[in-house]
Every structure is written in C-alpha cells, then in structure tokens.
mmCIF file of all heavy atoms in Angstrom:
data_model
loop_
_atom_site.group_PDB
_atom_site.id
_atom_site.type_symbol
_atom_site.label_atom_id
_atom_site.label_comp_id
_atom_site.label_asym_id
_atom_site.label_seq_id
_atom_site.Cartn_x
_atom_site.Cartn_y
_atom_site.Cartn_z
ATOM 1 N N GLY A 960 28.634 -10.836 -73.570
ATOM 2 C CA GLY A 960 27.260 -10.717 -73.106
ATOM 3 C C GLY A 960 26.485 -12.017 -73.070
ATOM 4 O O GLY A 960 25.370 -12.055 -72.552
ATOM 5 N N SER A 961 27.056 -13.090 -73.612
ATOM 6 C CA SER A 961 26.340 -14.365 -73.597
ATOM 7 C C SER A 961 26.321 -14.934 -72.182
ATOM 8 O O SER A 961 27.129 -14.568 -71.322
ATOM 9 C CB SER A 961 27.004 -15.370 -74.542
ATOM 10 O OG SER A 961 28.264 -15.772 -74.019
ATOM 11 N N HIS A 962 25.395 -15.841 -71.941
ATOM 12 C CA HIS A 962 25.305 -16.484 -70.627
ATOM 13 C C HIS A 962 26.629 -17.189 -70.305
ATOM 14 O O HIS A 962 27.120 -17.102 -69.172
ATOM 15 C CB HIS A 962 24.138 -17.470 -70.604
ATOM 16 C CG HIS A 962 23.955 -18.167 -69.306
ATOM 17 N ND1 HIS A 962 23.537 -17.507 -68.171
ATOM 18 C CD2 HIS A 962 24.162 -19.451 -68.943
ATOM 19 C CE1 HIS A 962 23.476 -18.360 -67.170
ATOM 20 N NE2 HIS A 962 23.853 -19.549 -67.608
ATOM 21 N N ALA A 963 27.209 -17.841 -71.295
ATOM 22 C CA ALA A 963 28.475 -18.561 -71.078
ATOM 23 C C ALA A 963 29.612 -17.611 -70.732
ATOM 24 O O ALA A 963 30.428 -17.906 -69.851
ATOM 25 C CB ALA A 963 28.829 -19.391 -72.314
ATOM 26 N N SER A 964 29.675 -16.446 -71.401
ATOM 27 C CA SER A 964 30.757 -15.496 -71.090
ATOM 28 C C SER A 964 30.597 -14.924 -69.687
ATOM 29 O O SER A 964 31.587 -14.672 -68.992
ATOM 30 C CB SER A 964 30.823 -14.371 -72.125
ATOM 31 O OG SER A 964 29.739 -13.485 -71.979
ATOM 32 N N LYS A 965 29.355 -14.732 -69.245
ATOM 33 C CA LYS A 965 29.114 -14.247 -67.880
ATOM 34 C C LYS A 965 29.541 -15.294 -66.853
ATOM 35 O O LYS A 965 30.099 -14.950 -65.803
ATOM 36 C CB LYS A 965 27.653 -13.865 -67.696
ATOM 37 C CG LYS A 965 27.266 -12.618 -68.468
ATOM 38 C CD LYS A 965 25.797 -12.304 -68.324
ATOM 39 C CE LYS A 965 25.425 -11.095 -69.162
ATOM 40 N NZ LYS A 965 24.002 -10.764 -69.076
ATOM 41 N N LEU A 966 29.278 -16.555 -67.144
ATOM 42 C CA LEU A 966 29.713 -17.625 -66.237
ATOM 43 C C LEU A 966 31.237 -17.675 -66.142
ATOM 44 O O LEU A 966 31.790 -17.844 -65.051
ATOM 45 C CB LEU A 966 29.176 -18.982 -66.706
ATOM 46 C CG LEU A 966 27.698 -19.244 -66.467
ATOM 47 C CD1 LEU A 966 27.286 -20.571 -67.106
ATOM 48 C CD2 LEU A 966 27.386 -19.256 -64.982
ATOM 49 N N VAL A 967 31.902 -17.511 -67.263
ATOM 50 C CA VAL A 967 33.368 -17.497 -67.263
ATOM 51 C C VAL A 967 33.876 -16.347 -66.400
ATOM 52 O O VAL A 967 34.761 -16.524 -65.562
ATOM 53 C CB VAL A 967 33.926 -17.401 -68.705
ATOM 54 C CG1 VAL A 967 35.403 -17.072 -68.705
ATOM 55 C CG2 VAL A 967 33.666 -18.693 -69.459
ATOM 56 N N ALA A 968 33.304 -15.156 -66.576
ATOM 57 C CA ALA A 968 33.733 -13.990 -65.797
ATOM 58 C C ALA A 968 33.501 -14.221 -64.308
ATOM 59 O O ALA A 968 34.377 -13.938 -63.477
ATOM 60 C CB ALA A 968 32.995 -12.737 -66.266
ATOM 61 N N ARG A 969 32.341 -14.735 -63.939
ATOM 62 C CA ARG A 969 32.060 -14.999 -62.519
ATOM 63 C C ARG A 969 33.054 -15.995 -61.940
ATOM 64 O O ARG A 969 33.537 -15.817 -60.813
ATOM 65 C CB ARG A 969 30.636 -15.521 -62.349
ATOM 66 C CG ARG A 969 29.595 -14.467 -62.533
ATOM 67 C CD ARG A 969 28.194 -15.013 -62.235
ATOM 68 N NE ARG A 969 27.213 -14.070 -62.713
ATOM 69 C CZ ARG A 969 26.255 -14.376 -63.581
ATOM 70 N NH1 ARG A 969 26.136 -15.589 -64.051
ATOM 71 N NH2 ARG A 969 25.410 -13.452 -63.961
ATOM 72 N N ASN A 970 33.356 -17.031 -62.690
ATOM 73 C CA ASN A 970 34.310 -18.031 -62.201
ATOM 74 C C ASN A 970 35.712 -17.451 -62.078
ATOM 75 O O ASN A 970 36.435 -17.766 -61.131
ATOM 76 C CB ASN A 970 34.303 -19.261 -63.104
ATOM 77 C CG ASN A 970 33.044 -20.085 -62.937
ATOM 78 O OD1 ASN A 970 32.410 -20.061 -61.878
ATOM 79 N ND2 ASN A 970 32.657 -20.793 -63.975
ATOM 80 N N GLU A 971 36.104 -16.599 -63.017
ATOM 81 C CA GLU A 971 37.416 -15.957 -62.919
ATOM 82 C C GLU A 971 37.482 -15.022 -61.706
ATOM 83 O O GLU A 971 38.490 -14.994 -60.994
ATOM 84 C CB GLU A 971 37.743 -15.210 -64.212
ATOM 85 C CG GLU A 971 38.041 -16.146 -65.366
ATOM 86 C CD GLU A 971 38.285 -15.435 -66.686
ATOM 87 O OE1 GLU A 971 37.957 -14.228 -66.812
ATOM 88 O OE2 GLU A 971 38.788 -16.093 -67.601
ATOM 89 N N ILE A 972 36.410 -14.276 -61.458
ATOM 90 C CA ILE A 972 36.378 -13.391 -60.291
ATOM 91 C C ILE A 972 36.452 -14.213 -59.009
ATOM 92 O O ILE A 972 37.168 -13.852 -58.073
ATOM 93 C CB ILE A 972 35.132 -12.484 -60.311
ATOM 94 C CG1 ILE A 972 35.255 -11.462 -61.451
ATOM 95 C CG2 ILE A 972 34.943 -11.779 -58.977
ATOM 96 C CD1 ILE A 972 33.986 -10.682 -61.728
ATOM 97 N N ARG A 973 35.745 -15.319 -58.955
ATOM 98 C CA ARG A 973 35.833 -16.197 -57.770
ATOM 99 C C ARG A 973 37.257 -16.704 -57.571
ATOM 100 O O ARG A 973 37.733 -16.791 -56.436
ATOM 101 C CB ARG A 973 34.870 -17.373 -57.909
ATOM 102 C CG ARG A 973 33.440 -17.014 -57.668
ATOM 103 C CD ARG A 973 32.546 -18.261 -57.638
ATOM 104 N NE ARG A 973 31.173 -17.864 -57.700
ATOM 105 C CZ ARG A 973 30.397 -17.988 -58.772
ATOM 106 N NH1 ARG A 973 30.866 -18.520 -59.877
ATOM 107 N NH2 ARG A 973 29.157 -17.587 -58.743
ATOM 108 N N ALA A 974 37.928 -17.022 -58.656
ATOM 109 C CA ALA A 974 39.320 -17.477 -58.551
ATOM 110 C C ALA A 974 40.209 -16.354 -58.016
ATOM 111 O O ALA A 974 41.064 -16.583 -57.152
ATOM 112 C CB ALA A 974 39.827 -17.967 -59.907
ATOM 113 N N TYR A 975 40.018 -15.142 -58.512
ATOM 114 C CA TYR A 975 40.765 -13.990 -57.998
ATOM 115 C C TYR A 975 40.499 -13.814 -56.504
ATOM 116 O O TYR A 975 41.406 -13.563 -55.722
ATOM 117 C CB TYR A 975 40.352 -12.706 -58.735
ATOM 118 C CG TYR A 975 41.157 -12.388 -59.971
ATOM 119 C CD1 TYR A 975 41.193 -13.237 -61.066
ATOM 120 C CD2 TYR A 975 41.874 -11.203 -60.054
ATOM 121 C CE1 TYR A 975 41.903 -12.929 -62.197
ATOM 122 C CE2 TYR A 975 42.595 -10.876 -61.183
ATOM 123 C CZ TYR A 975 42.610 -11.746 -62.260
ATOM 124 O OH TYR A 975 43.324 -11.431 -63.377
ATOM 125 N N MET A 976 39.221 -13.926 -56.111
ATOM 126 C CA MET A 976 38.874 -13.745 -54.705
ATOM 127 C C MET A 976 39.484 -14.851 -53.847
ATOM 128 O O MET A 976 39.888 -14.601 -52.711
ATOM 129 C CB MET A 976 37.355 -13.689 -54.533
ATOM 130 C CG MET A 976 36.763 -12.412 -55.079
ATOM 131 S SD MET A 976 34.963 -12.358 -55.116
ATOM 132 C CE MET A 976 34.557 -12.463 -53.412
ATOM 133 N N GLY A 977 39.559 -16.050 -54.382
ATOM 134 C CA GLY A 977 40.203 -17.131 -53.645
ATOM 135 C C GLY A 977 41.678 -16.860 -53.421
ATOM 136 O O GLY A 977 42.247 -17.250 -52.404
ATOM 137 N N TYR A 978 42.298 -16.179 -54.352
ATOM 138 C CA TYR A 978 43.732 -15.891 -54.259
ATOM 139 C C TYR A 978 44.015 -14.587 -53.509
ATOM 140 O O TYR A 978 44.892 -14.536 -52.650
ATOM 141 C CB TYR A 978 44.338 -15.832 -55.668
ATOM 142 C CG TYR A 978 45.843 -15.757 -55.666
ATOM 143 C CD1 TYR A 978 46.605 -16.885 -55.424
ATOM 144 C CD2 TYR A 978 46.483 -14.552 -55.903
ATOM 145 C CE1 TYR A 978 47.995 -16.821 -55.414
ATOM 146 C CE2 TYR A 978 47.868 -14.467 -55.897
ATOM 147 C CZ TYR A 978 48.617 -15.613 -55.661
ATOM 148 O OH TYR A 978 49.982 -15.531 -55.641
ATOM 149 N N PHE A 979 43.282 -13.516 -53.829
ATOM 150 C CA PHE A 979 43.551 -12.181 -53.270
ATOM 151 C C PHE A 979 42.645 -11.803 -52.099
ATOM 152 O O PHE A 979 42.864 -10.786 -51.451
ATOM 153 C CB PHE A 979 43.414 -11.101 -54.351
ATOM 154 C CG PHE A 979 44.397 -11.221 -55.463
ATOM 155 C CD1 PHE A 979 43.984 -11.558 -56.741
ATOM 156 C CD2 PHE A 979 45.750 -11.002 -55.246
ATOM 157 C CE1 PHE A 979 44.894 -11.663 -57.781
ATOM 158 C CE2 PHE A 979 46.667 -11.106 -56.272
ATOM 159 C CZ PHE A 979 46.235 -11.439 -57.540
ATOM 160 N N GLY A 980 41.587 -12.565 -51.832
ATOM 161 C CA GLY A 980 40.621 -12.205 -50.799
ATOM 162 C C GLY A 980 39.524 -11.338 -51.390
ATOM 163 O O GLY A 980 39.383 -11.224 -52.612
ATOM 164 N N LEU A 981 38.736 -10.718 -50.514
ATOM 165 C CA LEU A 981 37.651 -9.860 -50.981
ATOM 166 C C LEU A 981 38.210 -8.611 -51.648
ATOM 167 O O LEU A 981 39.200 -8.052 -51.178
ATOM 168 C CB LEU A 981 36.759 -9.449 -49.808
ATOM 169 C CG LEU A 981 35.931 -10.555 -49.178
ATOM 170 C CD1 LEU A 981 35.207 -10.034 -47.950
ATOM 171 C CD2 LEU A 981 34.939 -11.122 -50.171
ATOM 172 N N PRO A 982 37.591 -8.162 -52.730
ATOM 173 C CA PRO A 982 38.049 -6.923 -53.373
ATOM 174 C C PRO A 982 37.874 -5.732 -52.436
ATOM 175 O O PRO A 982 36.979 -5.719 -51.594
ATOM 176 C CB PRO A 982 37.142 -6.787 -54.594
ATOM 177 C CG PRO A 982 36.454 -8.084 -54.759
ATOM 178 C CD PRO A 982 36.456 -8.755 -53.429
ATOM 179 N N HIS A 983 38.721 -4.737 -52.608
ATOM 180 C CA HIS A 983 38.639 -3.534 -51.795
ATOM 181 C C HIS A 983 37.768 -2.471 -52.445
ATOM 182 O O HIS A 983 37.216 -1.613 -51.753
ATOM 183 C CB HIS A 983 40.042 -2.975 -51.543
ATOM 184 C CG HIS A 983 40.901 -3.945 -50.815
ATOM 185 N ND1 HIS A 983 41.936 -4.622 -51.420
ATOM 186 C CD2 HIS A 983 40.850 -4.404 -49.543
ATOM 187 C CE1 HIS A 983 42.492 -5.426 -50.538
ATOM 188 N NE2 HIS A 983 41.842 -5.314 -49.391
ATOM 189 N N ILE A 984 37.666 -2.508 -53.763
ATOM 190 C CA ILE A 984 36.894 -1.495 -54.487
ATOM 191 C C ILE A 984 36.036 -2.173 -55.547
ATOM 192 O O ILE A 984 36.513 -3.045 -56.284
ATOM 193 C CB ILE A 984 37.823 -0.467 -55.170
ATOM 194 C CG1 ILE A 984 38.679 0.243 -54.128
ATOM 195 C CG2 ILE A 984 37.035 0.533 -56.000
ATOM 196 C CD1 ILE A 984 39.771 1.083 -54.717
ATOM 197 N N TYR A 985 34.783 -1.756 -55.614
ATOM 198 C CA TYR A 985 33.877 -2.145 -56.694
ATOM 199 C C TYR A 985 33.602 -0.859 -57.466
ATOM 200 O O TYR A 985 33.135 0.121 -56.883
ATOM 201 C CB TYR A 985 32.572 -2.720 -56.144
ATOM 202 C CG TYR A 985 32.759 -3.986 -55.361
ATOM 203 C CD1 TYR A 985 33.126 -3.967 -54.018
ATOM 204 C CD2 TYR A 985 32.580 -5.223 -55.967
ATOM 205 C CE1 TYR A 985 33.305 -5.130 -53.296
ATOM 206 C CE2 TYR A 985 32.754 -6.396 -55.251
ATOM 207 C CZ TYR A 985 33.113 -6.345 -53.918
ATOM 208 O OH TYR A 985 33.293 -7.505 -53.212
ATOM 209 N N LEU A 986 33.886 -0.843 -58.757
ATOM 210 C CA LEU A 986 33.813 0.396 -59.530
ATOM 211 C C LEU A 986 33.078 0.162 -60.837
ATOM 212 O O LEU A 986 33.356 -0.807 -61.548
ATOM 213 C CB LEU A 986 35.241 0.889 -59.823
ATOM 214 C CG LEU A 986 35.392 2.078 -60.755
ATOM 215 C CD1 LEU A 986 34.922 3.348 -60.062
ATOM 216 C CD2 LEU A 986 36.839 2.224 -61.184
ATOM 217 N N THR A 987 32.133 1.050 -61.141
ATOM 218 C CA THR A 987 31.505 1.061 -62.464
ATOM 219 C C THR A 987 31.975 2.321 -63.167
ATOM 220 O O THR A 987 31.840 3.417 -62.641
ATOM 221 C CB THR A 987 29.969 1.050 -62.362
ATOM 222 O OG1 THR A 987 29.569 -0.175 -61.750
ATOM 223 C CG2 THR A 987 29.330 1.146 -63.743
ATOM 224 N N MET A 988 32.543 2.148 -64.337
ATOM 225 C CA MET A 988 33.060 3.267 -65.138
ATOM 226 C C MET A 988 32.119 3.449 -66.323
ATOM 227 O O MET A 988 31.963 2.536 -67.135
ATOM 228 C CB MET A 988 34.479 2.914 -65.598
ATOM 229 C CG MET A 988 35.116 3.932 -66.454
ATOM 230 S SD MET A 988 35.921 5.139 -65.422
ATOM 231 C CE MET A 988 36.782 6.041 -66.677
ATOM 232 N N ASN A 989 31.481 4.616 -66.380
ATOM 233 C CA ASN A 989 30.487 4.869 -67.420
ATOM 234 C C ASN A 989 30.789 6.200 -68.115
ATOM 235 O O ASN A 989 30.073 7.182 -67.923
ATOM 236 C CB ASN A 989 29.088 4.878 -66.787
ATOM 237 C CG ASN A 989 27.988 4.841 -67.808
ATOM 238 O OD1 ASN A 989 28.222 4.621 -68.984
ATOM 239 N ND2 ASN A 989 26.774 5.070 -67.358
ATOM 240 N N PRO A 990 31.864 6.259 -68.917
ATOM 241 C CA PRO A 990 32.196 7.516 -69.583
ATOM 242 C C PRO A 990 31.155 7.853 -70.653
ATOM 243 O O PRO A 990 30.755 7.003 -71.435
ATOM 244 C CB PRO A 990 33.565 7.253 -70.208
ATOM 245 C CG PRO A 990 33.672 5.775 -70.327
ATOM 246 C CD PRO A 990 32.809 5.187 -69.252
ATOM 247 N N ASN A 991 30.723 9.093 -70.674
ATOM 248 C CA ASN A 991 29.691 9.523 -71.611
ATOM 249 C C ASN A 991 30.340 10.294 -72.759
ATOM 250 O O ASN A 991 30.717 11.455 -72.603
ATOM 251 C CB ASN A 991 28.664 10.394 -70.884
ATOM 252 C CG ASN A 991 27.465 10.683 -71.748
ATOM 253 O OD1 ASN A 991 27.576 10.841 -72.955
ATOM 254 N ND2 ASN A 991 26.303 10.744 -71.125
ATOM 255 N N ALA A 992 30.450 9.651 -73.889
ATOM 256 C CA ALA A 992 31.110 10.255 -75.050
ATOM 257 C C ALA A 992 30.366 11.494 -75.555
ATOM 258 O O ALA A 992 30.992 12.456 -75.992
ATOM 259 C CB ALA A 992 31.238 9.227 -76.167
ATOM 260 N N THR A 993 29.055 11.483 -75.485
ATOM 261 C CA THR A 993 28.273 12.599 -76.013
ATOM 262 C C THR A 993 28.648 13.920 -75.345
ATOM 263 O O THR A 993 28.722 14.952 -75.999
ATOM 264 C CB THR A 993 26.763 12.345 -75.810
ATOM 265 O OG1 THR A 993 26.424 11.100 -76.408
ATOM 266 C CG2 THR A 993 25.938 13.444 -76.438
ATOM 267 N N HIS A 994 28.914 13.887 -74.050
ATOM 268 C CA HIS A 994 29.185 15.118 -73.308
ATOM 269 C C HIS A 994 30.676 15.364 -73.096
ATOM 270 O O HIS A 994 31.038 16.332 -72.430
ATOM 271 C CB HIS A 994 28.464 15.073 -71.956
ATOM 272 C CG HIS A 994 26.982 14.925 -72.103
ATOM 273 N ND1 HIS A 994 26.195 15.859 -72.731
ATOM 274 C CD2 HIS A 994 26.151 13.930 -71.730
ATOM 275 C CE1 HIS A 994 24.941 15.458 -72.727
ATOM 276 N NE2 HIS A 994 24.885 14.288 -72.128
ATOM 277 N N SER A 995 31.521 14.519 -73.654
ATOM 278 C CA SER A 995 32.954 14.648 -73.424
ATOM 279 C C SER A 995 33.634 15.520 -74.480
ATOM 280 O O SER A 995 33.581 15.215 -75.679
ATOM 281 C CB SER A 995 33.615 13.273 -73.434
ATOM 282 O OG SER A 995 35.011 13.421 -73.427
ATOM 283 N N PRO A 996 34.335 16.569 -74.040
ATOM 284 C CA PRO A 996 35.117 17.358 -74.989
ATOM 285 C C PRO A 996 36.212 16.522 -75.655
ATOM 286 O O PRO A 996 36.527 16.727 -76.829
ATOM 287 C CB PRO A 996 35.729 18.463 -74.132
ATOM 288 C CG PRO A 996 34.932 18.498 -72.883
ATOM 289 C CD PRO A 996 34.360 17.136 -72.691
ATOM 290 N N VAL A 997 36.772 15.578 -74.931
ATOM 291 C CA VAL A 997 37.821 14.721 -75.500
ATOM 292 C C VAL A 997 37.271 13.925 -76.679
ATOM 293 O O VAL A 997 37.902 13.837 -77.732
ATOM 294 C CB VAL A 997 38.407 13.779 -74.418
ATOM 295 C CG1 VAL A 997 39.361 12.778 -75.040
ATOM 296 C CG2 VAL A 997 39.093 14.589 -73.320
ATOM 297 N N PHE A 998 36.066 13.352 -76.517
ATOM 298 C CA PHE A 998 35.469 12.603 -77.621
ATOM 299 C C PHE A 998 35.209 13.517 -78.818
ATOM 300 O O PHE A 998 35.436 13.120 -79.966
ATOM 301 C CB PHE A 998 34.162 11.926 -77.197
ATOM 302 C CG PHE A 998 33.477 11.214 -78.332
ATOM 303 C CD1 PHE A 998 33.974 10.014 -78.809
ATOM 304 C CD2 PHE A 998 32.372 11.760 -78.952
ATOM 305 C CE1 PHE A 998 33.358 9.357 -79.876
ATOM 306 C CE2 PHE A 998 31.749 11.125 -80.013
ATOM 307 C CZ PHE A 998 32.247 9.913 -80.479
ATOM 308 N N GLN A 999 34.756 14.745 -78.555
ATOM 309 C CA GLN A 999 34.478 15.660 -79.660
ATOM 310 C C GLN A 999 35.756 15.937 -80.460
ATOM 311 O O GLN A 999 35.732 16.015 -81.687
ATOM 312 C CB GLN A 999 33.850 16.954 -79.146
ATOM 313 C CG GLN A 999 32.543 16.760 -78.396
ATOM 314 C CD GLN A 999 31.524 15.922 -79.143
ATOM 315 O OE1 GLN A 999 31.242 16.142 -80.321
ATOM 316 N NE2 GLN A 999 30.964 14.934 -78.462
ATOM 317 N N VAL A 1000 36.875 16.046 -79.769
ATOM 318 C CA VAL A 1000 38.155 16.230 -80.462
ATOM 319 C C VAL A 1000 38.522 14.952 -81.228
ATOM 320 O O VAL A 1000 39.002 15.015 -82.364
ATOM 321 C CB VAL A 1000 39.268 16.617 -79.461
ATOM 322 C CG1 VAL A 1000 40.639 16.563 -80.111
ATOM 323 C CG2 VAL A 1000 38.999 18.008 -78.896
ATOM 324 N N MET A 1001 38.261 13.793 -80.615
ATOM 325 C CA MET A 1001 38.584 12.517 -81.277
ATOM 326 C C MET A 1001 37.829 12.348 -82.594
ATOM 327 O O MET A 1001 38.342 11.706 -83.515
ATOM 328 C CB MET A 1001 38.279 11.334 -80.342
ATOM 329 C CG MET A 1001 39.245 11.223 -79.181
ATOM 330 S SD MET A 1001 38.781 9.926 -78.008
ATOM 331 C CE MET A 1001 39.345 8.467 -78.879
ATOM 332 N N VAL A 1002 36.612 12.905 -82.691
ATOM 333 C CA VAL A 1002 35.839 12.779 -83.930
ATOM 334 C C VAL A 1002 36.042 13.970 -84.863
ATOM 335 O O VAL A 1002 35.325 14.111 -85.842
ATOM 336 C CB VAL A 1002 34.332 12.538 -83.668
ATOM 337 C CG1 VAL A 1002 34.103 11.179 -83.045
ATOM 338 C CG2 VAL A 1002 33.707 13.639 -82.856
ATOM 339 N N GLY A 1003 37.007 14.829 -84.538
ATOM 340 C CA GLY A 1003 37.408 15.853 -85.492
ATOM 341 C C GLY A 1003 36.970 17.269 -85.223
ATOM 342 O O GLY A 1003 37.204 18.142 -86.067
ATOM 343 N N ASP A 1004 36.334 17.557 -84.098
ATOM 344 C CA ASP A 1004 35.929 18.935 -83.807
ATOM 345 C C ASP A 1004 37.167 19.719 -83.369
ATOM 346 O O ASP A 1004 37.645 19.576 -82.252
ATOM 347 C CB ASP A 1004 34.866 18.964 -82.710
ATOM 348 C CG ASP A 1004 34.261 20.354 -82.526
ATOM 349 O OD1 ASP A 1004 34.909 21.354 -82.930
ATOM 350 O OD2 ASP A 1004 33.155 20.438 -81.970
#
C-alpha cells in the first residue's frame, strides 16, 4: 500500500504490457467473507 510499492506494481504491469501487449481482462475480485458459507465453515461453524 505504500507509494513505493504502487510504483513498483505499475512498472511491473508496464513491463508485462510491453511483452504481452494490452491485457484482455481487467478483473476486481472482492470476496465477501461475512456472507460466505465457505468462510463460516472455515471459522468452525
């Protein structure tokens, strides 16, 4: 989350794009543990 780590990530993504071209998919994964039955089992329910 630091400014420096974000710069590193941006530079790595640019390097990937230079090698592979433009990405085909942009995806945000936001699993919600509170509403997940799997998480409830993981915590012992």
Side-chain angles (χ1 to χ4, degrees):
S961 70
H962 181 68
S964 72
K965 290 177 183 179
L966 285 175
V967 167
R969 287 185 193 123
N970 288 334
E971 289 176 345
I972 291 170
R973 284 187 193 106
Y975 270 61
M976 289 172 63
Y978 189 77
F979 297 112
L981 291 174
H983 299 108
I984 300 170
Y985 297 83
L986 173 72
T987 296
M988 178 87 171
N989 192 10
N991 189 325
T993 304
H994 301 298
S995 171
V997 173
F998 177 74
Q999 301 309 311
V1000 170
M1001 289 175 78
V1002 292
D1004 189 339

